[in-house]
Amino acid sequence: MRVVSLVPSLTEAIARSAPGALVGATDWCTHPAGLDVPRIGGTKNPKVDRIIALAPDLVIANEEENRAPDLEALRAAGLEVLVTEVREVPQAFRELARVVEACGAVRPRWLDEAEQAWSALPACEPRVRAVVPIWRRPWMVLGRDTFAGDVLSRLGVDHLYTAHEDRYPKVPLEELRAAAPDLVVLPDEPYRFTPDDGPEAFPGLPCALVSGRHLTWYGPSLAEAPRALGEALRAALR
């Protein structure tokens, strides 16, 4: 199989499960470290002509990360495109199994380990109310129906905009503060929140700086995500 991946987390999953299958990946595909394949642009602006020239048997995409016009252009060129949809943890496992199989690989051990890690979570009581910014200037937060929101929910964190009509609403900072959350969760992607960039906007509130890869990626990182995220959340609430 010759595979081009347009999704960073799925790039890592394919590289780990079907070594040698990848012939192209986006500029944002940072895992595994040292991945040496041709780069085809970003997730939102891939170089369609470059992908076509690579003559892949399969292009792996995601309905949220990639734009429909780009995928339609690839199909129009005769390429097979597999589009994933991931809004919750169990769905991530199903889609990962589908991607691995489509790439001609057997089910990998890391996928079994990830499922086990999420099935063995302790009871999460008491639950915590949080806001989860993903961008600033303007401030944007997790809203309804998101994979990251489901991840946090399974770890005992209920974010306050889960019923918002938008999946990633823009919310003024004053409103986020007035919501009086128990916790502010600040991932390092897509916006790179750091100890010096983010917590200062929420004086008096505990802030958990977490790995965006553990919070938003669906791939091998799922095996370690419950532990890594749990540690960061508990540290902030001490």
Side-chain angles (χ1 to χ4, degrees):
M1 290 289 290
R2 294 175 56 82
V3 180
V4 168
S5 173
L6 304 182
V7 186
S9 57
L10 295 178
T11 296
E12 182 179 16
I14 296 164
R16 286 277 302 273
S17 308
L22 282 170
V23 296
T26 75
D27 299 342
W28 300 106
C29 293
T30 57
H31 288 72
L35 179 66
D36 184 17
V37 296
R39 302 295 172 153
I40 49 78
T43 58
K44 303 295 185 186
N45 57 346
K47 308 294 185 184
V48 172
D49 56 345
R50 193 175 300 172
I51 297 171
I52 295 170
L54 290 170
D57 302 302
L58 182 66
V59 177
I60 301 292
N62 175 263
E63 51 86 30
E64 179 177 24
E65 292 207 43
N66 307 120
R67 301 186 316 126
D70 295 321
L71 305 184
E72 291 166 3
L74 293 170
R75 290 193 180 100
L79 299 183
E80 181 178 353
V81 180
L82 186 158
V83 181
T84 59
E85 178 179 329
V86 178
R87 303 291 178 87
E88 60 179 15
V89 173
Q91 189 179 27
F93 294 136
R94 294 193 297 271
E95 291 289 66
L96 285 164
R98 185 164 73 104
V99 167
V100 168
E101 181 180 2
C103 292
V106 299
R107 183 181 175 89
R109 174 182 290 185
W110 65 258
L111 186 50
D112 292 331
E113 292 173 346
E115 289 205 55
Q116 176 60 31
W118 284 94
S119 67
L121 293 177
C124 299
E125 296 294 341
R127 298 190 69 80
V128 175
R129 299 164 63 254
V131 293
V132 189
I134 58 166
W135 202 260
R136 68 184 300 177
R137 306 183 192 94
W139 286 92
M140 298 175 66
V141 299
L142 290 186
R144 64 168 180 85
D145 193 26
T146 66
F147 174 71
D150 187 59
V151 165
L152 289 172
S153 178
R154 293 169 188 274
L155 296 174
V157 177
D158 300 315
H159 69 88
L160 296 180
Y161 291 88
T162 188
H164 197 282
E165 62 180 357
D166 296 327
R167 296 185 66 212
Y168 302 101
K170 297 178 183 178
V171 182
L173 179 59
E174 295 74 17
E175 181 180 326
L176 296 179
R177 292 169 173 162
D182 303 313
L183 177 68
V184 181
V185 180
L186 298 169
D188 61 10
E189 62 176 80
Y191 185 90
R192 187 172 180 79
F193 289 105
T194 70
D196 300 319
D197 185 355
E200 82 291 341
F202 300 94
L205 290 174
C207 293
L209 292 159
V210 302
S211 160
R213 178 168 169 263
H214 289 134
L215 180 62
T216 66
W217 285 36
Y218 31 90
S221 59
L222 280 171
E224 59 194 43
R227 176 193 55 77
L229 292 171
E231 290 176 354
L233 295 170
R234 288 190 295 272
L237 290 168
R238 287 187 185 129

